[in-house]
Amino acid sequence: MKLTIIGTGYVGLVTGTCFAEAGHHVICVDKDAGKIKLLQAGGMPIYEPGLKELVDVNVAAGRLSFSNSTQEGVEKSDVIFIAVPTPAQMDGSVDLSFIEAVSREIAGAMTSYKIVVDKSTVPVKTGDKVAETIKRYCKAKVEFDVVSNPEFLREGFAVGDFMRPDRVVVGVRSQRPVAAMKEIYAPYNAPIIVTDINSAELIKHAANSFLALKISYINAISVICEASGANVQEVANGMGMDTRIGRKFLDASLGFGGSCFPKDLSAFIQISDQLGYNFGLLKEVQRINAEQMERFVKKIIETLWVLKNKTIGVLGLAFKQNTDDVRMSPAIDLCLRLQKEGAVLRVHDPRAMEKAKSVLKEVVFVDDMNEVAEGCDALVIATEWPEFKRLDLERVRKALTHPILFDGRNLFDVEEMERLGFIYKSIGR
Ligand code: UDX
């Protein structure tokens, strides 16, 4: 099929590329001329494992192209996907101005029946507004359908998640676009849930909030574990083997971050409020998450006492493994908190150092993870990069002024670390 994706961020670029990989003809549109130029020249605006290779193959095969022109994208395709940002505003609500602007642009360019699919995460009832807007601004007065098709991919695993989705959610107002949506997703062999638009939009916010809730739940359990001498990983394993619960998203940490969970939680709380429901449960999820970070900082301060002029090594800046994304990163938050206490930082991340440079000032960026600890009073692990498990621990211990390691991601075995001579403090163990 001929598809256009408007917005070439994490979601848009992965979506367009993976559609092309499945055999569709795709135009990715973005108003950022620099980004389109970069993509046309074979460059990548983001790091996502496996994505560049797929972009190259599909561009070479003539199935994937990039353009600045929404007009061109709308003219040449039957189905237009909206994948533009829906950032949080100061009060937690969602800024829908990009969605509105793109809806108007699409409307202005339409001269025949089109299916307009929203992929961005939006509050329930946004589909109705998109439909109203297109109807109002479409001079040609052609027929169209609006579809809600939320995306569930995780950064760092986006290509795999897109190619092998647990399910595809398709929210519609009429049956007309259903066959086309099923055809688009046929190559992925996933169950397709066809529902109404409001339910589709809610599925996304409800799912992300539930996953965040799972993390806050295990983080709360981690506090009880620390207080009682239990081990949170053992508890998570025991809970997770109940298939009704599942082991995923039960890894205690210094808190969740990223461009989705914090934003989606705030938005969902706001929307619920507007609909007359005080979603106190989700407010508690936010509170536990913030407290988890404070608890971790407190642990560092209690051990090192005064942080002023102490040198601390920080491993990990990205909000999670496998990405260069530092938006709402707990690791960056932690660095800023430590700096506020007067600590001097030596930091390393396998992928996110470039992006971190715009938000972290006056830190030493170290290229080799094994060199970060040199001359440090303590080392902190802030992101769950698998390569950190391969740290040369003997070298790290010798490089540290004091062999203190705070592990915000529970990467190592407690007994093994103590045997190696570390004062090892992790989460909930
Ligand atoms: C999330 C959703 O998983 C995805 O379905 C949605 O489309 C977008 O939002 P993403 O933000 O890319 O994806 O990352 P995810 O892997 O969900 O992790 C989010 C945060 O939770 C990270 O900071 C991660 O480190 C943290 N996390 C995750 C934990 O602290 N513990 C866990 O057990 C899992």
Side-chain angles (χ1 to χ4, degrees), residues 164-170 182 185-186 188-194:
R164 290 176 297 279
D166 288 342
R167 79 309 204 182
V168 173
V169 175
V170 174
K182 285 189 172 167
Y185 281 102
Y188 306 98
N189 289 321
I192 297 178
I193 300 168
V194 179

Side-chain angles (χ1 to χ4, degrees), residues 2-4 27 71-78 80 114:
K2 289 186 180 138
L3 312 176
T4 284
I27 307 174
Q71 176 91 25
E72 182 195 349
V74 174
E75 271 169 15
K76 290 190 176 163
S77 292
D78 314 310
I80 324 296
K114 301 285 171 190

Side-chain angles (χ1 to χ4, degrees), residues 146-396:
V146 168
V147 173
S148 165
N149 172 220
E151 185 45 62
F152 300 97
L153 56 80
R154 293 162 301 164
E155 286 180 29
F157 302 92
V159 171
D161 285 351
F162 197 96
M163 293 302 212
R164 290 176 297 279
D166 288 342
R167 79 309 204 182
V168 173
V169 175
V170 174
V172 292
R173 302 209 301 180
S174 79
Q175 286 305 304
R176 189 170 174 189
V178 173
M181 293 305 293
K182 285 189 172 167
E183 194 180 332
I184 292 169
Y185 281 102
Y188 306 98
N189 289 321
I192 297 178
I193 300 168
V194 179
T195 181
D196 62 283
I197 294 191
N198 286 346
S199 301
E201 289 169 341
L202 260 184
I203 286 171
K204 174 69 193 230
H205 268 137
N208 265 6
S209 299
F210 189 80
L211 290 169
L213 179 146
K214 246 186 132 175
I215 302 170
S216 274
Y217 187 82
I218 201 67
N219 279 340
I221 299 287
S222 80
V223 181
I224 312 286
C225 287
E226 281 181 27
S228 63
N231 179 326
V232 74
Q233 279 174 321
E234 301 289 326
V235 176
N237 291 342
M239 285 171 62
M241 281 180 78
D242 185 328
T243 50
R244 292 171 302 175
I245 298 174
R247 176 63 180 82
K248 290 177 185 165
F249 281 70
L250 283 182
D251 288 322
S253 64
L254 73 175
F256 58 76
S259 61
C260 290
F261 285 175
K263 183 190 87 172
D264 291 355
L265 269 177
S266 305
F268 202 26
I269 289 169
Q270 267 272 340
I271 297 155
S272 307
D273 231 32
Q274 280 165 18
L275 295 169
Y277 180 66
N278 175 4
F279 216 145
L281 178 66
L282 295 186
K283 291 179 187 164
E284 192 59 14
V285 169
Q286 290 179 318
R287 191 194 62 76
I288 293 170
N289 199 49
E291 199 181 75
Q292 194 71 354
M293 174 62 76
E294 282 315 306
R295 202 183 301 281
F296 193 65
V297 172
K298 200 169 153 214
K299 204 178 273 182
I300 296 173
I301 293 174
E302 272 171 7
T303 310
L304 299 180
W305 193 20
V306 175
L307 297 193
K308 196 160 183 234
N309 295 330
K310 292 226 166 84
T311 305
I312 299 179
V314 179
L315 285 172
L317 299 169
F319 82 98
K320 59 182 265 192
Q321 61 177 307
N322 280 343
T323 181
D324 63 349
D325 197 347
V326 295
R327 288 175 295 172
M328 300 293 286
S329 169
I332 299 283
D333 270 4
L334 177 69
C335 288
L336 297 174
R337 283 288 283 110
L338 297 177
Q339 279 187 321
K340 210 168 142 209
E341 296 292 328
V344 177
L345 303 183
R346 289 169 60 78
V347 304
H348 168 83
D349 189 282
R351 289 279 173 182
M353 293 214 277
E354 261 330 293
K355 290 201 171 151
K357 279 177 187 159
S358 58
V359 281
L360 272 188
K361 304 292 172 202
E362 292 171 30
V363 303
V364 181
F365 288 94
V366 183
D367 286 333
D368 183 340
M369 67 175 179
N370 286 306
E371 285 175 10
V372 174
E374 269 166 31
C376 287
D377 295 278
L379 186 66
V380 180
I381 295 174
T383 308
E384 70 276 35
W385 280 99
E387 30 276 78
F388 295 160
K389 287 189 180 170
R390 297 191 294 274
L391 267 180
D392 183 344
L393 289 170
E394 190 59 30
R395 182 171 160 193
V396 166

